[in-house]
């Protein structure tokens, strides 16, 4: 890799972040933005802590040359990322997804500085360079699709998309033809794995180690690492909603990704979110790998060669969230791949109803209820200090109905209620109804279900009408009525069965109408546990 390419990448990394910061600060403070920067710089420079060194050079410049000398050339990569991620996040309209991408750019920059170029390791250096350019382009595309609507957005986006395309073209012009494909593929994989790490980093501070039991040995408990080491071909992790399946799988996938990027392992994780797949293909897994790891540059048959030549771990998260058609296709495809390639491992996450959709050889585990120690860890991590003692008392006291809460989702919901100053739920019904609203938001807005929230509301309104004063109705009767009532609102490419599947996964259909005593349970076991005080009424419409 030539020094010119290295310099170009370093300049682009810095100027993109510098320009973005200056534009957003001007939007927030207009002509006074430099004064805001000066105040932060002075305070931080005089703090005399381990971070003050980042600000001292700029503070010295301001003191000696005046405030007007502040411009984008004054910010080195460390300082501008600190401004974007910590010092001016509100003014720059940034959040965790943005921070993760900026952090990736900063890591690329630091690696260029600390990485000792070895002429015998030219291929690795070239992959690193191209990965950095692709990360920059991904960042610019992210900004293009963000809510940012400032007057300079279009110019900024077009300028840097053009510069990055030119830099990537120049990179390939200076690359040996025999190495281009290896470099391109290596960089694509690197960018994909860094994406897994970014997604994990957004949630890593919230992670609490959970415990797991083998379905064929309920006496012993295992950690994630123990399951990974004991099952070289993978395993199935099943539990009901809110127990931490995605959390657990993403934690494992990030470990594989980091080991691969740090050259500690040659195993490549592929993380597939089943609920986001909308394909009528018979090769869903191969299509996913072709798109995510190769940017559609190869054919599905070439993906098979890739699987044959490499060690892959397929993570299938939220298997139960996929449509029936996708489940059937993936089950058949997975069975063939798992049988044909001994080096392929599969780690699945699903609910109880779909745990047998995976190859028979995979050991099945379920997530244990939280122990008292884990509950305390959750409280210490999620509940603000003034409320922790009371929260622990409520969650751990056998006399409190809240002591029945033993899942991460319920505990984090309860922590949010406490931190937001809401009164403690007065009953299990109150608790579940409050958590329901957060569950719906999580399933629809965050996990990206294909049916829109507006459609869900219309679906529920129609369901309420057909239920009337009845305790239950036949599924077929309900669906016919709802289809007639909502036919004009169907999302493009969706049908009633698909929407019904989505809603049934959330258990939204069951008694989501105001004033009903038995409000909602997300799954049968928790329903019976939480509502034991009013009997096991399972007669409500349940798909």
């Amino acid at each position: 890799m030539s020094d010119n390419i290295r310099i170009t990448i370093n300049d682009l990394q810095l100027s993109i972040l510098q320009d973005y910061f200056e534009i957003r600060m001007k939007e927030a403070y207009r002509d006074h933005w430099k004064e805001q920067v000066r105040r932060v710089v002075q305070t931080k420079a005089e703090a005399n802590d381990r971070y003050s060194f980042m600000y001292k050079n700029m503070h010295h410049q301001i003191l000696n040359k005046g405030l007007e000398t502040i411009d984008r050339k004054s910010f080195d990569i460390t300082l501008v990322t600190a401004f974007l991620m910590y010092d001016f996040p509100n003014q720059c309209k940034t959040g965790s997804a943005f921070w993760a991408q900026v952090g990736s750019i900063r890591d690329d920059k630091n690696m260029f500085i600390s990485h000792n170029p070895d002429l015998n390791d030219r291929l690795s250096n070239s992959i690193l360079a191209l990965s950095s350019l692709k990360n920059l382009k991904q960042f610019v595309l992210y900004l293009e699709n963000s809510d940012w609507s400032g007057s300079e957005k279009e110019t900024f986006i077009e300028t840097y998309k053009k510069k990055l395309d030119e830099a990537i073209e120049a990179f390939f012009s200076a690359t040996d033809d025999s190495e281009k494909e290896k470099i391109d593929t290596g960089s694509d994989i690197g960018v994909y794995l860094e994406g897994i790490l970014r997604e994990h980093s957004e949630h890593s501070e919230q992670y609490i180690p959970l415990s797991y039991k083998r379905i064929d040995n309920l006496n012993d408990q295992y950690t994630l690492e123990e399951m990974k080491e004991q099952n070289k071909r993978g395993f199935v992790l099943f539990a009901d909603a809110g127990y931490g399946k995605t959390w657990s799988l993403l934690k494992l996938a990030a470990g594989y990704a980091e080991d691969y990027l740090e050259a500690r392992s040659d195993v490549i994780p592929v993380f597939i979110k089943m609920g986001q797949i909308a394909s009528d293909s018979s090769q869903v897994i191969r299509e996913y790998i072709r798109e995510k790891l190769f940017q559609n540059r190869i054919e599905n048959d070439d993906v098979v060669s890739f699987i044959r030549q490499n060690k892959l771990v397929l993570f299938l998260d939220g298997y139960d969230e996929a449509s029936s058609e996708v489940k059937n296709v993936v089950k058949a495809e997975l069975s063939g791949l798992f049988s044909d390639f001994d080096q392929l491992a599969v780690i699945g996450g699903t609910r109880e109803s779909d745990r047998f959709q995976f190859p028979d050889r995979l050991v099945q585990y379920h997530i244990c209820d939280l122990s008292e120690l884990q509950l305390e860890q959750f409280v210490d991590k999620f509940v603000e200090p003034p409320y922790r003692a009371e929260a622990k008392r409520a969650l751990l006291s056998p006399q409190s109905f809240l002591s029945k809460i033993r899942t991460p989702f319920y505990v984090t919901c309860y922590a949010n209620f406490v931190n937001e100053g809401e009164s403690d739920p007065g009953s299990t019904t109150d608790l579940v109804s409050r958590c329901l609203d957060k569950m719906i938001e999580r399933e629809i807005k965050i996990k990206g279900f294909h049916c829109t929230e507006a459609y869900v509301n219309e679906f529920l309104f129609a369901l309420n009408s057909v239920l009337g004063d009845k305790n239950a109705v036949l599924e077929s009767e309900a669906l016919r009525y709802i289809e007639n009532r909502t036919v004009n609102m169907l999302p493009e490419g969706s049908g009633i069965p698909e929407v019904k599947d989505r809603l049934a996964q959330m258990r939204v259909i069951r008694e989501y109408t105001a004033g009903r005593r038995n409000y909602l349970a997300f799954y049968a076991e928790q329903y019976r546990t939480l509502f034991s005080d009013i009997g096991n009424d399972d007669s409500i419409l349940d798909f």
Side-chain angles (χ1 to χ4, degrees):
M1 181 181 64
S2 71
D3 287 339
N4 288 338
I5 293 293
R6 186 184 296 274
I7 292 170
T8 297
I9 294 172
N10 288 349
D11 287 347
L12 282 169
Q13 287 171 326
L14 192 53
S15 62
I16 287 174
L17 297 181
Q18 289 170 337
D19 284 357
Y20 180 78
F21 175 70
E22 182 174 340
I23 289 170
R24 300 316 301 270
M25 288 296 290
K26 283 180 178 178
E27 290 174 358
Y29 296 112
R30 299 189 184 279
D31 294 338
H32 303 291
W33 74 274
K34 293 182 180 181
E35 180 61 30
Q36 300 298 323
V37 172
R38 184 197 65 78
R39 290 175 184 173
V40 169
V41 168
Q42 181 174 351
T43 301
K44 299 280 187 172
E46 295 174 353
N48 197 29
D49 57 26
R50 58 179 177 160
Y51 301 108
S52 59
F53 76 93
M54 294 192 303
Y55 303 88
K56 285 183 176 178
N57 288 339
M58 190 170 182
H59 186 226
H60 178 76
Q61 174 182 315
I62 294 171
L63 289 177
N64 287 276
K65 298 183 179 180
L67 189 63
E68 66 277 2
T69 61
I70 295 181
D71 58 23
R72 60 179 179 272
K73 299 301 182 186
S74 307
F75 314 145
D76 65 14
I77 194 77
T78 305
L79 190 58
V80 74
T81 53
F83 283 157
L84 286 168
M85 298 171 70
Y86 310 118
D87 297 331
F88 296 100
N90 292 331
Q91 293 82 354
C92 296
K93 309 297 182 186
T94 64
S96 57
F98 177 93
W99 297 344
Q101 296 205 56
V102 172
S104 177
I105 295 172
R106 180 184 58 195
D107 292 342
D108 285 345
K109 171 77 173 183
N110 292 338
M111 190 171 293
F112 269 107
I113 294 172
S114 60
H115 189 66
N116 182 22
D118 183 349
L119 293 178
N120 295 323
D121 194 22
R122 182 178 58 195
L123 183 62
S124 295
N125 280 284
S126 296
I127 292 174
L128 178 63
L130 187 56
S131 297
S132 298
L133 287 172
K134 289 181 178 179
N135 278 331
L136 283 171
K137 186 166 184 178
Q138 189 176 60
F139 177 62
V140 172
L141 293 175
Y142 166 82
L143 293 179
E144 182 179 27
N145 296 319
S146 69
D147 293 335
W148 172 30
S149 57
S151 59
E152 296 187 52
K153 176 179 179 178
E154 184 176 347
T155 301
F156 173 90
I157 296 297
E158 292 306 315
T159 297
Y160 281 110
K161 282 171 66 174
K162 181 179 180 182
K163 286 186 176 182
L164 285 166
D165 285 341
E166 290 173 348
I168 291 173
E169 184 179 347
F171 172 86
F172 278 117
S173 297
T175 302
D176 191 322
D177 287 342
S178 63
E179 295 183 336
K180 284 182 179 179
E181 184 175 351
K182 289 182 179 179
I183 294 170
D184 208 8
T185 299
S187 62
D188 279 341
I189 293 173
V191 170
Y192 173 75
L193 296 182
E194 286 171 0
I196 292 178
L197 290 178
R198 282 198 298 273
E199 183 171 0
H200 173 256
S201 70
E202 294 178 36
H203 307 285
S204 60
E205 292 184 358
Q206 300 176 345
Y207 180 75
I208 297 290
L210 302 174
S211 303
Y212 311 84
K213 285 187 177 182
R214 283 180 63 141
I215 193 64
D216 58 356
N217 175 17
L218 298 178
N219 296 319
D220 299 329
Q221 295 188 6
Y222 302 87
T223 65
L224 275 178
E225 283 302 315
E226 287 171 339
M227 291 192 296
K228 172 185 171 184
E229 291 303 317
Q230 293 175 16
N231 302 280
K232 297 303 183 183
R233 293 298 307 273
F235 54 88
V236 179
L237 184 61
F238 72 93
D240 290 310
Y243 263 87
K245 299 185 294 296
T246 298
W247 226 357
S248 301
L249 266 59
L250 191 56
K251 175 77 172 176
L252 279 174
Y256 278 109
E258 184 175 7
D259 286 346
Y260 184 89
L261 292 171
E262 297 293 330
R264 293 190 293 263
S265 169
D266 58 353
V267 180
I268 302 171
V270 179
F271 198 91
I272 303 176
K273 297 179 180 180
M274 292 288 290
Q276 296 181 3
I277 291 177
S279 172
D280 56 1
S281 168
S282 61
Q283 299 182 337
V284 169
I285 295 173
R286 275 164 279 194
E287 279 192 353
Y288 183 92
I289 293 174
R290 180 169 67 90
E291 177 188 350
K292 299 298 183 181
L293 273 67
F294 295 98
Q295 307 301 307
N296 292 321
R297 288 186 290 100
I298 64 175
E299 299 301 323
N300 283 0
D301 289 345
D302 298 320
V303 173
V304 174
S305 298
F306 173 74
I307 296 174
R308 181 181 296 110
Q309 296 167 11
N310 293 274
K311 299 176 183 177
L312 269 63
V313 180
L314 294 181
F315 287 86
L316 300 181
D317 180 44
Y319 193 96
D320 56 286
E321 297 172 4
S323 67
S324 299
E325 292 79 6
V326 170
K327 287 180 187 177
N328 293 334
V329 166
V330 170
K331 181 179 180 180
E333 184 181 14
L334 186 62
S335 177
L337 293 173
F338 191 79
S339 175
D340 292 343
F341 303 107
D342 292 338
Q343 77 278 21
L344 178 70
V346 175
I347 298 179
T350 189
R351 298 191 191 176
E352 168 76 24
S353 59
D354 287 305
R355 63 188 176 94
F356 295 108
Q357 298 286 335
F358 293 85
D360 294 338
R361 289 174 55 187
L362 298 183
V363 177
Q364 296 183 353
Y365 294 81
H366 71 85
I367 305 178
C368 303
D369 285 344
L370 296 177
S371 66
E372 291 193 359
L373 175 60
Q374 288 168 328
L375 278 172
E376 291 193 37
Q377 290 176 321
F378 262 88
V379 171
D380 289 338
K381 183 153 286 193
F382 289 103
V383 177
E384 297 296 332
Y387 312 116
R388 286 177 186 166
E390 179 62 22
K392 288 181 181 179
R393 183 201 63 75
L395 291 171
L396 298 174
S397 171
Q399 289 74 37
S400 171
F401 75 87
L402 291 172
S403 64
K404 296 178 181 179
I405 297 177
R406 283 294 184 269
T407 66
F409 177 74
Y410 275 122
V411 175
T412 51
C413 281
Y414 176 71
N416 289 335
F417 302 150
V418 172
N419 292 336
E420 292 167 6
E422 295 186 26
S423 60
D424 276 352
S427 66
T428 51
T429 306
D430 185 19
L431 171 67
V432 174
S433 65
R434 292 199 209 176
C435 290
L436 169 64
D437 291 333
K438 293 186 180 295
M439 178 66 86
I440 293 174
E441 180 180 1
R442 169 181 180 265
E443 296 291 315
I444 297 173
K445 294 182 178 178
I446 297 176
K447 297 180 77 171
F449 277 10
H450 300 300
C451 53
T452 65
E453 187 173 11
Y455 186 76
V456 170
N457 290 334
E458 187 69 19
F459 193 105
L460 295 172
F461 177 78
L463 176 62
N464 185 33
S465 299
V466 72
L467 276 174
D469 295 328
K470 303 175 184 178
N471 287 327
V473 294
L474 292 174
E475 174 184 341
S476 56
E477 177 187 348
L479 290 181
R480 279 197 303 272
Y481 183 90
I482 292 167
E483 185 165 18
N484 293 334
R485 184 72 175 262
T486 60
V487 65
N488 294 326
M489 284 196 64
L490 279 173
E492 184 178 354
S494 298
I496 282 291
E498 179 183 10
V499 177
K500 182 264 293 184
D501 285 346
R502 300 291 186 190
L503 293 168
Q505 289 153 10
M506 296 184 286
R507 296 298 190 265
V508 170
I509 296 173
R510 190 174 5 189
E511 284 254 307
Y512 185 68
T513 51
R516 292 181 181 270
R517 185 179 64 166
N518 303 340
Y519 191 79
L520 171 83
F522 302 126
Y523 32 83
E525 181 180 354
Q526 284 297 95
Y527 180 86
R528 287 190 289 271
T529 300
L530 289 173
F531 291 101
S532 58
D533 55 328
I534 57 176
N536 297 337
D537 181 4
D538 287 332
S539 65
I540 303 165
L541 178 66
D542 182 6
F543 295 127

